[in-house]
């Protein structure tokens, strides 16, 4: 029997996400409230080293993120809850800033890990706010990438995506996990529930890491699946019959809905 999750459980998750929205509203607004940080880059122009990462995404080209991405310092990463969120980042206060100062919009897809053996000189140690950008993005912000690090300003912005919210099936017959990606609007995800086609009951999912969600077992195997997703701004979307009954691990599916 597919485990049921009462409407009150999902409502509680929705209310919690809505409460989180109160904290995010200033950052997501269209004001000029920019915060200070620093930025570096990792990888080369191809972006090969930016693939995969601590958010659980895979090939960022296939998943629609491309190279407009960043790894976040521990303080911004928020244990993975920031994954999928979008930020406008602009170089500010350096002679190496590119003329015009146009910001780049990037999606959080990775973690810039702390190095506690170096309490000073490591830009990703908490409480520092830092963006480790893909090299192509860094090159848009500066006149010479050899500078290595520059002061920046940033703010949260809405994410623009093509198509619907997408889901990638991972794991094995005993343990099924779902990667939730291509989320517009807030970009990050605060709650997910799944409904199996055989019994039609909703079950809350747990965030395992990054944007990987699971029920902790393999009950989803052999069932078609629908999903309800709560984004970081508290909005929810219900996506019916996203995954067909004959799905296989490694496949991804697009819901007919978006934020």
């Amino acid at each position: 029997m597919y485990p049921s999750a009462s409407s009150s459980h999902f409502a509680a998750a929705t209310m919690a996400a809505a409460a989180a929205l109160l904290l995010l509203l200033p950052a997501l607004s269209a004001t000029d409230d920019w915060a200070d940080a620093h930025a570096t880059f990792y990888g080369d122009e191809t972006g090969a080293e930016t693939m995969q990462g601590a958010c659980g995404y895979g090939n960022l080209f296939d998943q629609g993120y491309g190279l407009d991405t960043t790894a976040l310092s521990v303080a911004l990463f928020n244990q993975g809850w920031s994954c999928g969120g979008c930020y406008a980042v602009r170089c500010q206060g350096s002679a190496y800033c590119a003329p015009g100062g146009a910001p780049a919009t990037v999606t959080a897809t990775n973690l810039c890990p702390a190095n506690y053996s170096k309490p000073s000189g490591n830009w990703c140690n908490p409480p520092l706010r830092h963006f480790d950008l893909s090299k192509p993005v860094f090159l848009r912000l500066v006149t010479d990438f050899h500078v290595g690090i520059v002061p920046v300003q940033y703010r949260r912005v809405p994410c623009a995506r093509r198509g619907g919210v997408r889901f990638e099936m991972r794991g094995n017959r005993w343990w099924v996990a779902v990667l939730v990606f291509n989320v517009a609007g807030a970009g990050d995800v605060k709650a997910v529930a799944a409904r199996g086609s055989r019994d039609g009951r909703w079950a809350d999912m747990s965030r395992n890491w990054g944007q990987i969600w699971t029920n902790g077992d393999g009950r989803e195997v052999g069932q078609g699946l629908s999903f309800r997703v709560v984004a970081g701004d508290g909005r929810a979307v219900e996506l019916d019959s996203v995954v067909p009954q004959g799905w296989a691990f490694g496949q991804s599916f697009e819901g007919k809905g978006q934020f």
Side-chain angles (χ1 to χ4, degrees):
M1 191 70 167
Y2 200 78
S4 67
S6 67
S7 298
S8 61
H9 287 169
F10 196 80
T14 305
M15 292 177 62
L21 170 61
L22 297 177
L23 301 176
L24 289 174
L25 279 175
L28 289 173
S29 67
T31 68
D32 289 328
D33 294 333
W34 295 79
D36 294 326
H38 283 80
T40 51
F41 71 92
Y42 70 114
D44 59 18
E45 288 84 352
T46 70
E49 293 182 36
T50 68
M51 301 297 113
Q52 311 298 327
C55 287
Y57 304 123
N59 185 313
L60 298 175
F61 293 106
D62 293 344
Q63 293 172 339
Y65 298 112
L67 297 180
D68 292 336
T69 61
T70 187
L72 299 178
S73 64
V74 172
L76 291 173
F77 190 68
N78 192 24
Q79 297 181 323
W81 289 105
S82 297
C83 289
C86 294
Y87 299 80
V89 182
R90 65 186 184 188
C91 185
Q92 189 80 6
S94 170
Y96 290 93
C97 291
T105 299
V106 293
T107 301
T109 60
N110 205 352
L111 166 69
C112 181
N115 185 345
Y116 295 105
S117 69
K118 295 181 179 180
S120 62
N122 187 300
W123 291 98
C124 290
N125 285 3
L128 298 179
R129 298 181 177 187
H130 187 82
F131 293 83
D132 201 14
L133 303 164
S134 71
K135 189 174 182 181
V137 171
F138 192 76
L139 287 169
R140 298 207 301 266
L141 299 182
V142 301
T143 56
D144 183 356
F145 73 89
H146 292 97
V147 65
I149 184 169
V150 290
V152 297
Q153 292 182 322
Y154 76 95
R155 64 182 179 184
R156 282 288 303 273
V157 294
C159 299
R161 302 287 178 231
R162 294 182 178 179
V165 179
R166 296 173 64 186
F167 304 84
E168 181 178 313
M169 306 304 296
R170 298 186 179 183
N172 54 54
R173 60 179 297 185
W174 299 281
W175 186 82
V176 175
V178 180
L179 168 67
V180 183
F181 65 105
N182 198 53
V183 180
D188 50 352
V189 176
K190 297 303 180 186
V192 177
R195 183 179 64 197
S197 58
R198 283 199 299 266
D199 45 57
R201 297 185 178 184
W202 288 104
D204 292 333
M205 303 188 80
S206 314
R207 192 179 68 92
N208 191 263
W209 59 280
Q211 284 300 351
I212 305 291
W213 297 77
T214 182
N215 276 327
D217 51 39
R219 289 187 177 94
E220 298 88 347
V221 174
Q223 295 200 69
L225 298 171
S226 300
F227 293 100
R228 290 193 299 198
V229 179
V230 179
D233 60 3
R235 291 189 296 164
V237 62
E238 185 172 309
L239 304 166
D240 292 324
S241 304
V242 178
V243 179
Q245 185 172 340
W247 63 266
F249 292 107
Q251 289 182 319
S252 63
F253 303 92
E254 183 175 324
K256 295 180 180 179
Q258 185 58 273
F259 292 96

